[in-house]
Coordinates of all heavy atoms in Angstrom, one line a residue:
M23 N -116.2 -127.3 -172.0 CA -115.9 -125.9 -172.0 C -117.0 -125.2 -171.2 O -118.2 -125.3 -171.5 CB -115.9 -125.4 -173.4 CG -115.2 -124.1 -173.6 SD -114.9 -123.5 -175.3 CE -115.0 -124.9 -176.3
N24 N -116.7 -124.4 -170.2 CA -117.7 -123.7 -169.3 C -117.6 -122.2 -169.5 O -116.5 -121.7 -169.7 CB -117.5 -124.2 -167.9 CG -117.9 -125.6 -167.6 OD1 -118.9 -126.1 -168.2 ND2 -117.2 -126.3 -166.8
F25 N -118.7 -121.6 -169.3 CA -118.8 -120.1 -169.5 C -119.6 -119.6 -168.2 O -120.5 -120.3 -167.8 CB -119.5 -119.8 -170.7 CG -118.9 -120.3 -172.0 CD1 -119.3 -121.6 -172.4 CD2 -118.0 -119.6 -172.7 CE1 -118.7 -122.1 -173.6 CE2 -117.4 -120.1 -173.8 CZ -117.7 -121.4 -174.2
A26 N -119.2 -118.4 -167.8 CA -119.9 -117.8 -166.7 C -120.8 -116.7 -167.4 O -120.4 -116.0 -168.3 CB -119.0 -117.1 -165.7
V27 N -122.1 -116.6 -166.9 CA -123.0 -115.7 -167.6 C -123.9 -115.0 -166.5 O -124.2 -115.5 -165.4 CB -124.0 -116.4 -168.6 CG1 -123.2 -117.1 -169.7 CG2 -124.9 -117.4 -167.9
K28 N -124.3 -113.8 -167.0 CA -125.4 -113.0 -166.3 C -126.3 -112.5 -167.4 O -125.7 -111.9 -168.4 CB -124.8 -111.9 -165.4 CG -125.9 -111.2 -164.7 CD -125.3 -110.2 -163.7 CE -126.5 -109.6 -162.9 NZ -125.9 -108.7 -161.8
I29 N -127.6 -112.6 -167.3 CA -128.5 -112.1 -168.2 C -129.3 -111.0 -167.6 O -129.8 -111.1 -166.5 CB -129.5 -113.3 -168.7 CG1 -128.7 -114.4 -169.3 CG2 -130.5 -112.7 -169.6 CD1 -129.4 -115.6 -169.5
V30 N -129.4 -109.9 -168.3 CA -130.2 -108.8 -167.9 C -131.2 -108.5 -169.0 O -130.9 -108.2 -170.1 CB -129.4 -107.5 -167.7 CG1 -130.2 -106.3 -167.2 CG2 -128.2 -107.8 -166.6
N31 N -132.5 -108.6 -168.6 CA -133.6 -108.3 -169.6 C -134.1 -106.9 -169.3 O -134.5 -106.5 -168.2 CB -134.7 -109.3 -169.4 CG -134.3 -110.7 -169.9 OD1 -133.8 -110.8 -171.0 ND2 -134.4 -111.7 -169.0
Q32 N -134.1 -106.1 -170.4 CA -134.6 -104.7 -170.3 C -135.6 -104.5 -171.5 O -135.2 -104.5 -172.6 CB -133.5 -103.7 -170.4 CG -132.6 -103.6 -169.2 CD -133.0 -102.5 -168.3 OE1 -133.9 -101.7 -168.7 NE2 -132.5 -102.5 -167.1
K33 N -136.9 -104.4 -171.2 CA -137.9 -104.2 -172.2 C -137.7 -105.3 -173.2 O -137.8 -106.4 -172.9 CB -137.9 -102.8 -172.8 CG -138.1 -101.7 -171.8 CD -138.2 -100.4 -172.4 CE -138.4 -99.4 -171.3 NZ -138.4 -98.0 -171.8
S34 N -137.5 -104.9 -174.5 CA -137.4 -106.0 -175.5 C -135.9 -106.4 -175.8 O -135.6 -107.1 -176.7 CB -138.0 -105.5 -176.8 OG -137.3 -104.3 -177.3
N35 N -135.0 -105.9 -175.0 CA -133.6 -106.3 -175.2 C -133.1 -107.3 -174.1 O -133.5 -107.1 -172.9 CB -132.7 -105.1 -175.1 CG -132.9 -104.1 -176.3 OD1 -133.0 -104.6 -177.4 ND2 -133.1 -102.8 -176.0
R36 N -132.3 -108.2 -174.5 CA -131.6 -109.1 -173.6 C -130.1 -108.8 -173.7 O -129.5 -108.9 -174.7 CB -131.8 -110.5 -173.9 CG -130.9 -111.4 -173.0 CD -131.0 -112.9 -173.4 NE -132.2 -113.5 -173.1 CZ -132.7 -114.6 -173.5 NH1 -132.0 -115.3 -174.4 NH2 -133.8 -115.1 -173.1
M37 N -129.5 -108.3 -172.5 CA -128.1 -108.2 -172.4 C -127.4 -109.4 -171.8 O -127.9 -109.8 -170.7 CB -127.7 -106.9 -171.6 CG -126.2 -106.7 -171.6 SD -125.8 -105.1 -170.8 CE -126.0 -105.5 -169.1
L38 N -126.5 -109.9 -172.5 CA -125.7 -111.1 -172.0 C -124.3 -110.7 -171.7 O -123.6 -110.1 -172.5 CB -125.8 -112.1 -173.1 CG -124.9 -113.4 -172.9 CD1 -125.4 -114.2 -171.6 CD2 -124.8 -114.3 -174.1
N39 N -124.0 -110.9 -170.4 CA -122.5 -110.8 -170.0 C -122.0 -112.2 -169.9 O -122.6 -113.0 -169.1 CB -122.4 -110.0 -168.6 CG -123.0 -108.7 -168.7 OD1 -123.0 -107.9 -169.7 ND2 -123.7 -108.3 -167.6
I40 N -121.0 -112.5 -170.7 CA -120.5 -113.9 -170.8 C -119.0 -113.8 -170.9 O -118.4 -113.0 -171.5 CB -121.1 -114.6 -171.9 CG1 -120.7 -116.1 -172.0 CG2 -120.9 -113.9 -173.3 CD1 -121.4 -116.9 -173.0
C41 N -118.3 -114.8 -170.1 CA -116.9 -114.9 -170.2 C -116.5 -116.3 -170.0 O -117.3 -117.2 -169.5 CB -116.3 -114.0 -169.1 SG -116.4 -114.6 -167.4
D42 N -115.2 -116.6 -170.3 CA -114.6 -117.9 -169.9 C -114.7 -118.1 -168.4 O -114.3 -117.2 -167.7 CB -113.2 -118.0 -170.4 CG -113.0 -117.8 -171.9 OD1 -114.0 -117.7 -172.6 OD2 -111.8 -117.9 -172.3
A43 N -115.2 -119.2 -168.0 CA -115.5 -119.4 -166.5 C -114.3 -119.1 -165.6 O -114.4 -118.6 -164.5 CB -116.1 -120.7 -166.3
E44 N -113.1 -119.5 -166.1 CA -111.9 -119.4 -165.3 C -111.4 -118.0 -165.2 O -110.5 -117.7 -164.4 CB -110.8 -120.3 -165.9 CG -110.3 -119.9 -167.3 CD -111.1 -120.5 -168.4 OE1 -112.1 -121.2 -168.2 OE2 -110.6 -120.4 -169.6
L45 N -112.0 -117.0 -165.9 CA -111.6 -115.6 -165.8 C -112.3 -114.9 -164.6 O -111.8 -113.8 -164.3 CB -111.8 -114.9 -167.1 CG -111.0 -115.3 -168.3 CD1 -111.4 -114.6 -169.5 CD2 -109.5 -115.1 -168.0
V46 N -113.4 -115.4 -164.1 CA -114.1 -114.8 -163.0 C -113.2 -114.5 -161.8 O -112.5 -115.5 -161.4 CB -115.4 -115.6 -162.7 CG1 -116.0 -114.9 -161.4 CG2 -116.3 -115.6 -163.8
G47 N -113.2 -113.3 -161.4 CA -112.3 -112.9 -160.3 C -111.0 -112.3 -160.7 O -110.2 -111.8 -159.9
R48 N -110.6 -112.4 -162.0 CA -109.3 -112.0 -162.4 C -109.3 -110.5 -162.7 O -110.4 -109.9 -163.2 CB -108.9 -112.7 -163.7 CG -107.5 -112.3 -164.2 CD -107.0 -113.2 -165.3 NE -105.9 -112.6 -165.9 CZ -105.3 -112.9 -167.0 NH1 -105.8 -113.9 -167.7 NH2 -104.3 -112.3 -167.5
T49 N -108.2 -109.7 -162.4 CA -108.1 -108.3 -162.7 C -107.1 -108.2 -163.8 O -106.0 -108.8 -163.7 CB -107.7 -107.5 -161.5 OG1 -108.7 -107.6 -160.5 CG2 -107.5 -106.0 -161.9
V50 N -107.4 -107.5 -164.9 CA -106.4 -107.2 -166.0 C -106.1 -105.7 -165.9 O -107.0 -104.9 -165.6 CB -106.9 -107.7 -167.3 CG1 -107.1 -109.2 -167.4 CG2 -108.2 -107.1 -167.7
R51 N -104.9 -105.4 -166.4 CA -104.4 -104.0 -166.3 C -103.8 -103.6 -167.6 O -103.1 -104.4 -168.2 CB -103.4 -103.8 -165.2 CG -104.0 -104.1 -163.8 CD -102.9 -104.0 -162.7 NE -103.5 -104.1 -161.4 CZ -103.9 -105.2 -160.8 NH1 -103.7 -106.4 -161.4 NH2 -104.5 -105.2 -159.6
Q52 N -104.0 -102.3 -167.9 CA -103.3 -101.7 -169.1 C -103.2 -100.2 -168.8 O -104.2 -99.5 -168.6 CB -104.1 -101.9 -170.4 CG -103.5 -101.3 -171.6 CD -104.2 -101.7 -172.9 OE1 -104.5 -102.8 -173.1 NE2 -104.5 -100.7 -173.6
S53 N -102.0 -99.7 -168.7 CA -101.7 -98.4 -168.3 C -102.4 -98.1 -167.0 O -102.2 -98.7 -166.0 CB -102.1 -97.4 -169.4 OG -101.4 -97.7 -170.6
D54 N -103.3 -97.1 -167.0 CA -104.0 -96.7 -165.8 C -105.4 -97.3 -165.7 O -106.2 -96.9 -164.9 CB -104.1 -95.2 -165.7 CG -104.8 -94.5 -166.8 OD1 -105.1 -95.2 -167.8 OD2 -105.2 -93.3 -166.7
L55 N -105.7 -98.3 -166.5 CA -107.0 -99.0 -166.6 C -106.9 -100.3 -165.9 O -106.0 -101.2 -166.2 CB -107.4 -99.1 -168.0 CG -108.7 -99.9 -168.3 CD1 -109.9 -99.2 -167.8 CD2 -108.8 -100.2 -169.8
D56 N -107.7 -100.6 -164.9 CA -107.9 -101.8 -164.3 C -109.3 -102.3 -164.5 O -110.2 -101.6 -164.2 CB -107.7 -101.8 -162.7 CG -106.2 -101.5 -162.4 OD1 -105.4 -101.5 -163.2 OD2 -106.0 -101.3 -161.2
I57 N -109.5 -103.6 -164.9 CA -110.8 -104.2 -165.1 C -110.8 -105.5 -164.4 O -110.0 -106.3 -164.6 CB -111.1 -104.4 -166.6 CG1 -111.2 -103.1 -167.4 CG2 -112.4 -105.2 -166.7 CD1 -111.4 -103.2 -168.9
T58 N -111.7 -105.6 -163.4 CA -111.9 -106.8 -162.7 C -113.2 -107.5 -163.3 O -114.2 -107.0 -163.4 CB -112.1 -106.6 -161.2 OG1 -111.0 -105.9 -160.7 CG2 -112.3 -107.9 -160.4
I59 N -113.0 -108.8 -163.6 CA -114.0 -109.6 -164.2 C -114.7 -110.2 -163.0 O -114.4 -111.3 -162.5 CB -113.4 -110.7 -165.2 CG1 -112.6 -109.9 -166.3 CG2 -114.5 -111.6 -165.7 CD1 -111.6 -110.8 -167.0
T60 N -115.8 -109.5 -162.6 CA -116.4 -109.9 -161.3 C -117.5 -110.9 -161.5 O -118.2 -111.0 -162.5 CB -117.0 -108.7 -160.6 OG1 -118.0 -108.1 -161.4 CG2 -115.9 -107.6 -160.3
K61 N -117.7 -111.7 -160.4 CA -118.8 -112.6 -160.4 C -120.2 -111.9 -160.4 O -121.1 -112.4 -161.1 CB -118.8 -113.5 -159.1 CG -119.8 -114.5 -159.0 CD -119.7 -115.4 -157.8 CE -120.7 -116.5 -157.8 NZ -120.7 -117.4 -156.7
S62 N -120.3 -110.7 -159.8 CA -121.6 -110.0 -159.8 C -121.9 -109.5 -161.2 O -123.1 -109.4 -161.5 CB -121.5 -108.8 -158.9 OG -120.5 -107.9 -159.3
Y63 N -120.9 -109.3 -162.1 CA -121.2 -108.9 -163.5 C -121.3 -110.0 -164.5 O -122.1 -110.0 -165.4 CB -120.2 -107.8 -163.9 CG -120.6 -107.0 -165.2 CD1 -121.4 -106.0 -165.1 CD2 -120.1 -107.4 -166.4 CE1 -121.8 -105.3 -166.2 CE2 -120.5 -106.7 -167.6 CZ -121.4 -105.6 -167.4 OH -121.7 -105.0 -168.5
Y64 N -120.5 -111.0 -164.3 CA -120.4 -112.1 -165.3 C -120.8 -113.5 -164.8 O -121.1 -114.4 -165.5 CB -118.9 -112.3 -165.8 CG -118.5 -111.2 -166.7 CD1 -117.8 -110.1 -166.3 CD2 -118.9 -111.2 -168.1 CE1 -117.4 -109.1 -167.2 CE2 -118.5 -110.2 -169.0 CZ -117.8 -109.2 -168.4 OH -117.4 -108.1 -169.3
G65 N -120.9 -113.7 -163.5 CA -121.0 -115.0 -163.0 C -122.2 -115.4 -162.2 O -122.1 -116.1 -161.2
D66 N -123.4 -115.1 -162.6 CA -124.6 -115.6 -162.0 C -124.6 -117.1 -162.0 O -125.1 -117.7 -161.0 CB -125.9 -115.1 -162.7 CG -126.4 -113.8 -162.0 OD1 -125.7 -113.3 -161.1 OD2 -127.4 -113.3 -162.6
R67 N -124.2 -117.7 -163.1 CA -124.2 -119.1 -163.2 C -123.2 -119.6 -164.3 O -122.8 -118.8 -165.1 CB -125.6 -119.7 -163.5 CG -126.2 -119.2 -164.7 CD -127.7 -119.6 -164.8 NE -128.3 -119.2 -166.0 CZ -128.6 -119.9 -167.1 NH1 -128.2 -121.2 -167.0 NH2 -129.1 -119.4 -168.1
I68 N -122.9 -120.9 -164.2 CA -121.9 -121.5 -165.1 C -122.8 -122.4 -166.1 O -123.7 -123.1 -165.7 CB -120.9 -122.4 -164.4 CG1 -120.1 -121.6 -163.3 CG2 -120.0 -123.1 -165.4 CD1 -119.3 -120.5 -163.9
I69 N -122.5 -122.2 -167.4 CA -123.2 -123.0 -168.4 C -122.3 -123.7 -169.3 O -121.0 -123.4 -169.4 CB -124.1 -122.0 -169.2 CG1 -123.3 -121.0 -170.0 CG2 -125.2 -121.4 -168.3 CD1 -124.1 -120.1 -171.0
D70 N -122.8 -124.6 -170.1 CA -122.0 -125.3 -171.1 C -122.0 -124.6 -172.5 O -122.7 -123.6 -172.6 CB -122.4 -126.8 -171.2 CG -123.8 -127.0 -171.7 OD1 -124.4 -126.0 -172.3 OD2 -124.4 -128.1 -171.6
E71 N -121.3 -125.2 -173.4 CA -121.1 -124.6 -174.7 C -122.5 -124.5 -175.5 O -122.8 -123.5 -176.1 CB -120.1 -125.3 -175.5 CG -119.8 -124.7 -176.9 CD -118.7 -125.4 -177.7 OE1 -117.9 -126.1 -177.1 OE2 -118.6 -125.1 -178.9
K72 N -123.2 -125.5 -175.4 CA -124.6 -125.5 -176.1 C -125.5 -124.4 -175.6 O -126.0 -123.7 -176.4 CB -125.2 -126.9 -175.9 CG -126.5 -127.0 -176.6 CD -127.1 -128.4 -176.4 CE -128.5 -128.5 -177.1 NZ -129.1 -129.8 -176.9
E73 N -125.5 -124.2 -174.3 CA -126.4 -123.1 -173.8 C -125.8 -121.8 -174.1 O -126.5 -120.8 -174.4 CB -126.6 -123.3 -172.2 CG -127.6 -122.3 -171.7 CD -128.0 -122.4 -170.3 OE1 -127.5 -123.4 -169.7 OE2 -128.7 -121.6 -169.8
A74 N -124.4 -121.7 -174.1 CA -123.7 -120.4 -174.4 C -124.1 -120.0 -175.9 O -124.4 -118.9 -176.1 CB -122.3 -120.6 -174.2
E75 N -124.0 -121.0 -176.8 CA -124.4 -120.7 -178.2 C -125.8 -120.2 -178.3 O -126.0 -119.2 -179.0 CB -124.1 -122.0 -179.0 CG -124.4 -121.8 -180.5 CD -124.1 -123.0 -181.3 OE1 -123.2 -123.8 -181.0 OE2 -124.7 -123.1 -182.4
S76 N -126.7 -120.8 -177.6 CA -128.1 -120.4 -177.7 C -128.3 -119.0 -177.2 O -129.0 -118.1 -177.8 CB -129.0 -121.4 -176.9 OG -130.3 -120.9 -176.8
L77 N -127.7 -118.7 -176.0 CA -127.7 -117.3 -175.5 C -127.1 -116.3 -176.4 O -127.6 -115.1 -176.6 CB -127.1 -117.2 -174.1 CG -128.0 -118.0 -173.0 CD1 -127.1 -118.0 -171.7 CD2 -129.3 -117.2 -172.8
L78 N -126.0 -116.6 -177.0 CA -125.3 -115.7 -177.9 C -126.2 -115.4 -179.1 O -126.3 -114.2 -179.5 CB -124.0 -116.3 -178.4 CG -122.9 -116.3 -177.4 CD1 -121.7 -117.2 -177.8 CD2 -122.3 -114.9 -177.1
R79 N -126.9 -116.4 -179.6 CA -127.8 -116.2 -180.7 C -129.0 -115.3 -180.4 O -129.5 -114.7 -181.3 CB -128.3 -117.6 -181.3 CG -127.1 -118.3 -182.0 CD -127.7 -119.6 -182.6 NE -126.7 -120.5 -183.1 CZ -126.0 -120.4 -184.2 NH1 -126.3 -119.4 -185.0 NH2 -125.1 -121.2 -184.6
T80 N -129.5 -115.4 -179.2 CA -130.8 -114.8 -178.9 C -130.6 -113.5 -178.0 O -131.7 -112.9 -177.7 CB -131.7 -115.8 -178.1 OG1 -131.0 -116.2 -176.9 CG2 -132.0 -117.0 -178.9
S81 N -129.5 -113.0 -177.8 CA -129.3 -111.8 -177.0 C -129.0 -110.6 -178.0 O -128.4 -110.8 -179.0 CB -128.1 -112.0 -176.1 OG -128.4 -113.0 -175.1
S82 N -129.4 -109.5 -177.6 CA -129.3 -108.3 -178.4 C -128.1 -107.4 -178.1 O -127.5 -106.7 -179.0 CB -130.5 -107.4 -178.5 OG -131.0 -107.1 -177.2
I83 N -127.6 -107.5 -176.9 CA -126.4 -106.8 -176.4 C -125.5 -107.9 -175.7 O -126.0 -108.5 -174.8 CB -126.7 -105.6 -175.5 CG1 -127.7 -104.6 -176.2 CG2 -125.4 -104.9 -175.0 CD1 -128.3 -103.7 -175.2
I84 N -124.3 -108.0 -176.2 CA -123.4 -109.0 -175.6 C -122.1 -108.5 -175.2 O -121.4 -107.9 -176.0 CB -123.2 -110.2 -176.6 CG1 -124.6 -110.7 -177.2 CG2 -122.4 -111.3 -176.0 CD1 -124.5 -111.6 -178.4
N85 N -121.7 -108.6 -174.0 CA -120.4 -108.2 -173.4 C -119.6 -109.5 -173.2 O -120.0 -110.4 -172.4 CB -120.5 -107.5 -172.1 CG -121.2 -106.2 -172.2 OD1 -120.8 -105.4 -173.0 ND2 -122.3 -106.1 -171.5
M86 N -118.5 -109.7 -174.0 CA -117.8 -111.0 -174.0 C -116.4 -110.8 -173.5 O -115.8 -109.8 -173.9 CB -117.7 -111.6 -175.4 CG -119.1 -112.0 -175.9 SD -119.0 -112.6 -177.6 CE -119.5 -111.2 -178.5
V87 N -115.9 -111.7 -172.8 CA -114.5 -111.7 -172.3 C -114.0 -113.1 -172.4 O -114.6 -114.1 -171.9 CB -114.3 -111.2 -170.9 CG1 -112.9 -111.2 -170.4 CG2 -115.0 -109.8 -170.7
G88 N -112.8 -113.3 -173.0 CA -112.1 -114.5 -173.0 C -112.0 -115.1 -174.4 O -112.9 -115.0 -175.2
K89 N -110.9 -115.9 -174.6 CA -110.7 -116.5 -175.9 C -111.7 -117.5 -176.3 O -112.2 -117.5 -177.4 CB -109.3 -117.1 -175.9 CG -108.9 -117.7 -177.3 CD -107.5 -118.1 -177.3 CE -107.1 -118.9 -178.6 NZ -107.8 -118.6 -179.8
K90 N -112.1 -118.4 -175.4 CA -113.1 -119.4 -175.7 C -114.5 -118.8 -176.1 O -115.1 -119.2 -177.0 CB -113.2 -120.5 -174.6 CG -112.0 -121.3 -174.4 CD -112.2 -122.3 -173.3 CE -111.7 -121.8 -172.0 NZ -111.8 -122.7 -170.9
T91 N -114.8 -117.8 -175.3 CA -116.1 -117.2 -175.5 C -116.2 -116.5 -176.9 O -117.1 -116.6 -177.6 CB -116.4 -116.1 -174.4 OG1 -116.4 -116.8 -173.1 CG2 -117.7 -115.4 -174.6
I92 N -115.1 -115.7 -177.1 CA -115.1 -114.9 -178.4 C -114.9 -115.8 -179.6 O -115.5 -115.6 -180.6 CB -114.0 -113.8 -178.3 CG1 -114.5 -112.8 -177.2 CG2 -113.8 -113.2 -179.7 CD1 -113.4 -111.8 -176.9
D93 N -114.1 -116.9 -179.4 CA -113.9 -117.9 -180.5 C -115.3 -118.5 -180.9 O -115.7 -118.7 -182.1 CB -112.9 -119.0 -180.2 CG -111.5 -118.5 -180.3 OD1 -111.2 -117.3 -180.7 OD2 -110.6 -119.2 -179.8
L94 N -116.1 -118.8 -179.8 CA -117.4 -119.4 -180.1 C -118.3 -118.4 -180.8 O -119.0 -118.8 -181.7 CB -118.0 -119.9 -178.8 CG -119.5 -120.4 -178.9 CD1 -119.6 -121.7 -179.8 CD2 -120.0 -120.7 -177.5
S95 N -118.3 -117.2 -180.3 CA -119.2 -116.2 -181.0 C -118.8 -116.0 -182.5 O -119.7 -115.9 -183.3 CB -119.2 -114.9 -180.2 OG -118.0 -114.2 -180.4
I96 N -117.6 -115.9 -182.7 CA -117.1 -115.7 -184.1 C -117.5 -117.0 -185.0 O -117.9 -116.9 -186.1 CB -115.7 -115.4 -184.2 CG1 -115.4 -114.0 -183.6 CG2 -115.1 -115.4 -185.6 CD1 -114.0 -113.6 -183.4
K97 N -117.3 -118.1 -184.4 CA -117.6 -119.4 -185.1 C -119.1 -119.5 -185.5 O -119.4 -119.9 -186.6 CB -117.3 -120.6 -184.2 CG -117.6 -121.9 -184.8 CD -117.2 -123.0 -183.8 CE -118.4 -123.8 -183.5 NZ -118.2 -124.9 -182.5
I98 N -120.0 -118.9 -184.7 CA -121.4 -119.0 -185.1 C -121.9 -117.7 -185.7 O -123.1 -117.5 -186.0 CB -122.3 -119.3 -183.8 CG1 -122.1 -118.2 -182.8 CG2 -121.9 -120.7 -183.3 CD1 -123.1 -118.4 -181.6
G99 N -120.9 -116.8 -186.1 CA -121.3 -115.7 -186.9 C -121.8 -114.4 -186.1 O -122.4 -113.5 -186.7
I100 N -121.4 -114.4 -184.9 CA -121.8 -113.2 -184.1 C -120.5 -112.5 -183.7 O -119.6 -113.1 -183.0 CB -122.6 -113.7 -182.8 CG1 -123.9 -114.3 -183.2 CG2 -122.8 -112.5 -181.8 CD1 -124.6 -115.0 -182.1
G101 N -120.4 -111.3 -184.1 CA -119.2 -110.5 -183.8 C -118.2 -110.8 -184.9 O -118.3 -111.6 -185.8
S102 N -117.1 -110.0 -184.7 CA -116.0 -110.1 -185.7 C -114.6 -110.0 -185.0 O -114.5 -109.2 -184.0 CB -116.2 -108.9 -186.7 OG -115.0 -108.8 -187.5
A103 N -113.7 -110.7 -185.5 CA -112.3 -110.6 -184.9 C -111.8 -109.2 -185.0 O -111.0 -108.7 -184.2 CB -111.4 -111.5 -185.7
K104 N -112.3 -108.4 -186.0 CA -111.9 -107.0 -186.1 C -112.2 -106.1 -184.9 O -111.6 -105.1 -184.7 CB -112.5 -106.3 -187.4 CG -112.0 -106.9 -188.7 CD -112.7 -106.3 -189.9 CE -112.3 -107.0 -191.1 NZ -113.0 -106.5 -192.3
G105 N -113.3 -106.5 -184.2 CA -113.7 -105.7 -183.1 C -113.1 -106.1 -181.7 O -113.3 -105.4 -180.8
V106 N -112.3 -107.1 -181.7 CA -111.7 -107.6 -180.5 C -110.6 -106.7 -180.0 O -109.7 -106.3 -180.8 CB -111.2 -109.1 -180.7 CG1 -110.5 -109.6 -179.4 CG2 -112.4 -110.0 -181.0
K107 N -110.6 -106.4 -178.7 CA -109.6 -105.6 -178.1 C -109.0 -106.5 -177.0 O -109.7 -107.3 -176.4 CB -110.1 -104.3 -177.5 CG -110.8 -103.4 -178.5 CD -109.8 -102.9 -179.5 CE -110.5 -102.0 -180.5 NZ -109.9 -102.0 -181.8
E108 N -107.7 -106.3 -176.8 CA -107.0 -107.2 -175.7 C -106.5 -106.3 -174.6 O -105.9 -105.2 -174.9 CB -105.9 -108.0 -176.3 CG -106.4 -109.2 -177.0 CD -105.3 -110.2 -177.3 OE1 -104.2 -110.1 -176.8 OE2 -105.6 -111.2 -178.1
I109 N -106.6 -106.7 -173.4 CA -106.0 -106.1 -172.3 C -105.3 -107.2 -171.5 O -105.9 -108.2 -171.1 CB -107.1 -105.4 -171.3 CG1 -107.8 -104.3 -172.1 CG2 -106.4 -104.8 -170.1 CD1 -109.0 -103.7 -171.3
E110 N -104.0 -107.0 -171.4 CA -103.1 -108.0 -170.7 C -103.3 -109.4 -171.3 O -103.4 -110.4 -170.6 CB -103.4 -107.9 -169.2 CG -102.2 -108.5 -168.4 CD -102.4 -108.4 -166.9 OE1 -102.4 -107.2 -166.4 OE2 -102.7 -109.4 -166.3
G111 N -103.5 -109.5 -172.6 CA -103.7 -110.7 -173.3 C -105.1 -111.3 -173.2 O -105.3 -112.4 -173.8
V112 N -106.0 -110.7 -172.6 CA -107.4 -111.2 -172.4 C -108.2 -110.4 -173.4 O -108.3 -109.2 -173.4 CB -107.9 -111.0 -171.0 CG1 -109.4 -111.4 -170.9 CG2 -107.1 -111.7 -170.0
P113 N -108.9 -111.1 -174.4 CA -109.7 -110.5 -175.4 C -111.1 -110.1 -174.9 O -111.7 -110.8 -174.0 CB -109.8 -111.5 -176.5 CG -109.6 -112.9 -175.8 CD -108.7 -112.6 -174.6
F114 N -111.5 -108.9 -175.3 CA -112.8 -108.3 -175.0 C -113.5 -108.0 -176.3 O -112.9 -107.5 -177.2 CB -112.7 -107.0 -174.2 CG -112.2 -107.2 -172.8 CD1 -110.9 -107.5 -172.5 CD2 -113.1 -107.1 -171.8 CE1 -110.4 -107.6 -171.2 CE2 -112.6 -107.2 -170.4 CZ -111.3 -107.5 -170.2
L115 N -114.9 -108.2 -176.3 CA -115.7 -107.8 -177.5 C -117.1 -107.5 -177.0 O -117.7 -108.2 -176.2 CB -115.7 -109.0 -178.5 CG -116.6 -108.9 -179.7 CD1 -116.0 -107.7 -180.6 CD2 -116.7 -110.2 -180.5
I116 N -117.6 -106.4 -177.6 CA -119.0 -106.0 -177.3 C -119.8 -106.0 -178.6 O -119.3 -105.5 -179.6 CB -119.1 -104.6 -176.7 CG1 -118.4 -104.6 -175.3 CG2 -120.6 -104.2 -176.5 CD1 -118.3 -103.3 -174.7
V117 N -120.9 -106.6 -178.7 CA -121.7 -106.8 -179.9 C -123.2 -106.2 -179.6 O -123.8 -106.5 -178.5 CB -121.9 -108.2 -180.3 CG1 -122.9 -108.4 -181.5 CG2 -120.5 -108.8 -180.8
F118 N -123.6 -105.4 -180.4 CA -125.0 -104.8 -180.4 C -125.7 -105.4 -181.7 O -125.3 -105.2 -182.8 CB -125.0 -103.3 -180.5 CG -124.4 -102.6 -179.3 CD1 -123.0 -102.4 -179.3 CD2 -125.1 -102.4 -178.1 CE1 -122.4 -101.7 -178.2 CE2 -124.5 -101.8 -177.0 CZ -123.2 -101.5 -177.1
K119 N -126.9 -106.0 -181.5 CA -127.7 -106.5 -182.5 C -129.1 -105.9 -182.4 O -129.8 -106.1 -181.5 CB -127.9 -108.0 -182.5 CG -126.6 -108.8 -182.5 CD -126.8 -110.3 -182.6 CE -127.4 -110.9 -181.4 NZ -127.5 -112.3 -181.3
F120 N -129.4 -105.0 -183.4 CA -130.7 -104.3 -183.4 C -131.3 -104.5 -184.7 O -130.8 -104.7 -185.7 CB -130.6 -102.9 -183.0 CG -130.2 -102.6 -181.6 CD1 -128.8 -102.4 -181.3 CD2 -131.1 -102.8 -180.5 CE1 -128.5 -102.2 -180.0 CE2 -130.7 -102.6 -179.2 CZ -129.4 -102.3 -179.0

């Protein structure tokens, strides 16, 4: 299982943008909302599940897209299924840990 990630460090916070690798480049639509899952936002590099788990645990702000990504985060106790929103069948979840 591969994930696309981009890490942004700001002062004492680490923001992790992470998605299922196969979603990079896809555009999802809902009503008048279009969201493109871009390489510049999510795809600095491709990582495996072990590294994804480590980054999920150590990041304070996490933007997640995709079933595999969100399933992993919930499995390790980060985030909740209650916060997941779907656009065109693609799940999105944002988590803040402070």
Side-chain angles (χ1 to χ4, degrees):
M23 197 173 338
N24 289 321
F25 304 89
V27 298
K28 181 172 185 174
I29 299 167
V30 179
N31 292 305
Q32 288 266 349
K33 298 183 183 179
S34 62
N35 292 311
R36 173 188 285 167
M37 183 172 77
L38 172 65
N39 301 323
I40 182 169
C41 72
D42 299 1
E44 64 273 10
L45 293 176
V46 174
R48 181 169 171 195
T49 299
V50 294
R51 294 174 175 84
Q52 181 173 312
S53 302
D54 61 345
L55 175 67
D56 289 355
I57 297 175
T58 301
I59 303 160
T60 63
K61 184 175 182 180
S62 63
Y63 194 80
Y64 287 98
D66 268 359
R67 60 192 179 99
I68 303 297
I69 62 171
D70 63 16
E71 184 174 346
K72 183 178 178 181
E73 187 173 358
E75 183 176 330
S76 175
L77 288 171
L78 287 165
R79 290 183 189 281
T80 59
S81 298
S82 51
I83 303 167
I84 309 166
N85 296 302
M86 296 176 257
V87 181
K89 181 169 176 27
K90 290 183 267 185
T91 300
I92 293 171
D93 285 350
L94 176 61
S95 73
I96 292 170
K97 179 179 117 181
I98 63 173
I100 297 168
S102 165
K104 293 177 185 177
V106 176
K107 303 296 180 203
E108 284 194 8
I109 299 174
E110 202 176 289
V112 176
F114 288 77
L115 178 64
I116 298 174
V117 171
F118 296 92
K119 299 186 295 185
F120 292 101

